[in-house]
Amino acid sequence: MTPIRHHTGKRMSRTVIHNNTVYLCGQVAEDRSQGISEQTRTMLAKVDTLLAEVGSDRQHLLSATIYIKDMSLFAEMNRVWDAWVPAGHAPARACVEAAMASPELLVEISVIAALPKA
């Protein structure tokens, strides 16, 4: 099966589908001037949008890797995450402290999801 790429630029594709698995590039906040809660909310909204574009959703998450600028923000980020993840559909997840690409970014996520059977 040939990978299917969406929103492809010179450096990356925002979404790649291969063998009924959806890979998203790292997603960050819409407004980088906001605090961790709002950055997390808008970042997850972008995940929802990208998954919907290819026919998947958060109930089909397989894995999530979250990069957080400072672990002192971990509990606040988790409050938003916990409200977003559907009960019984939590993916495998890792969360690591990381230097971010831009100093105002507080959180970034990379997601892998399944495509539901049609």
Side-chain angles (χ1 to χ4, degrees), residues 7-102:
H7 306 285
T8 301
K10 181 179 178 180
R11 183 168 291 155
M12 72 180 125
S13 296
R14 292 187 70 193
T15 309
V16 176
I17 301 169
H18 187 257
N19 290 334
N20 293 317
T21 304
V22 182
Y23 303 86
L24 271 58
C25 70
Q27 298 301 304
V28 296
E30 196 66 39
D31 181 353
R32 298 172 182 198
S33 69
Q34 296 295 313
I36 188 69
S37 291
E38 187 59 23
Q39 283 199 27
T40 303
R41 270 190 274 287
T42 62
M43 171 190 77
L44 294 174
K46 289 166 98 176
V47 169
D48 282 333
T49 298
L50 288 171
L51 289 175
E53 283 180 4
V54 298
S56 191
D57 54 42
R58 64 179 97 156
Q59 286 81 12
H60 291 86
L61 293 175
L62 301 173
S63 175
T65 304
I66 301 171
Y67 306 93
I68 190 165
K69 184 175 185 171
D70 186 328
M71 281 306 223
S72 70
L73 304 169
F74 185 71
E76 193 174 348
M77 180 276 300
N78 269 332
R79 280 191 284 281
V80 177
W81 170 265
D82 291 345
W84 181 78
V85 174
H89 296 278
R93 187 186 106 163
C95 185
V96 297
E97 186 173 84
M100 306 306 266
S102 298

